[in-house]
Amino acid sequence: MKIVLATRNAGKIAELRRILAGFEIVGLEEFPEIGEVAETGVTFEENALLKAHAVAQGSGLPAVADDSGLCVDVLNGMPGVFSARWSGRHGDDQANLDLLLAQLSDVPADRLSAHFACTAALAVPSGESRAVEGVLPGRLVKTPRGTNGFGYDPILVPDGYDRTTAEMSPDEKDAISHRGRAFRALTPIVRELLGS
């Protein structure tokens, strides 16, 4: 069964191919006629469903989308849905990281609790959809560490670990990540809705 993943982010496509093994996952690069879907929702679930529905309608295939981000407790859950464009430029990981670290520069280490959150959604061309959430709690470090992953991975140390998610191997990260948790929860729903 072919499923369209509503992203052009190569890192995310590779990660989700590992997590959703057994399905033929294709990215939006196979559907150049489908433009970027505006993330106008104010929650991860709203944005994930917006993208999944738009791509299912545009491709005529089942579509999976997610919205995820870093939620910092001392910032009242921000950057949250604005994580990918926190610095004002969508997808500029380094600028986003630099701005967040500057904003947290005076915050004591014991107040840097945070979590990665992800809502994964499946939509089929008929309009039916489902969404689930995954969370990875942890704490932030002020000096980025590691070169694996992307986004805020170099500054989040998951609870129970002493390494950032950027210091973990892809398999280690997939086993505990917010995205991994959300997509593993979505997998039986995909099988149920698609009958596979």
Side-chain angles (χ1 to χ4, degrees):
M1 169 66 67
K2 184 180 282 193
I3 299 172
V4 183
L5 183 58
T7 186
R8 289 183 173 85
N9 180 317
K12 194 178 284 189
I13 292 168
E15 185 176 7
L16 294 180
R17 280 184 176 142
R18 292 190 304 268
I19 294 166
L20 291 174
F23 294 98
E24 183 184 353
I25 305 295
V26 297
L28 281 179
E29 71 279 356
E30 293 200 15
F31 299 91
E33 70 279 7
I34 299 176
E36 291 298 318
V37 179
E39 295 181 5
T40 57
V42 295
T43 66
F44 294 123
E45 182 173 342
E46 287 176 4
N47 285 332
L49 287 167
L50 279 169
K51 292 186 285 187
H53 281 292
V55 172
Q57 292 304 308
S59 68
L61 294 169
V64 168
D66 78 296
D67 194 31
S68 58
L70 177 68
C71 304
V72 180
D73 293 342
V74 75
L75 296 179
N76 294 317
M78 295 312 252
V81 296
F82 304 107
S83 292
R85 53 191 182 275
W86 192 237
S87 66
R89 294 182 302 277
H90 191 278
D92 189 337
D93 288 353
Q94 191 61 54
N96 292 332
L97 197 60
D98 291 345
L99 176 59
L100 183 66
L101 289 173
Q103 292 167 326
L104 298 173
S105 63
D106 293 333
V107 177
D110 64 348
R111 302 284 309 274
L112 291 177
S113 57
H115 66 274
F116 281 134
C118 174
T119 296
L122 167 71
V124 294
S126 68
E128 190 173 357
S129 63
R130 305 268 181 83
V132 293
E133 184 181 43
V135 173
L136 178 62
R139 62 183 170 76
L140 300 180
V141 294
K142 293 185 180 182
T143 302
R145 302 186 331 229
T147 57
N148 295 328
F150 55 93
Y152 299 96
D153 282 336
I155 62 169
L156 184 95
V157 176
D159 286 349
Y161 293 82
D162 59 4
R163 294 175 294 149
T164 68
T165 50
E167 293 177 297
M168 297 178 173
S169 72
D171 287 342
E172 287 177 295
K173 181 185 167 191
D174 290 351
I176 64 166
S177 77
H178 55 304
R179 195 170 287 110
R181 290 173 180 182
F183 278 94
R184 280 190 294 278
L186 189 66
T187 299
I189 295 168
V190 170
R191 295 187 193 288
E192 173 195 333
L193 279 185
L194 304 184
S196 56

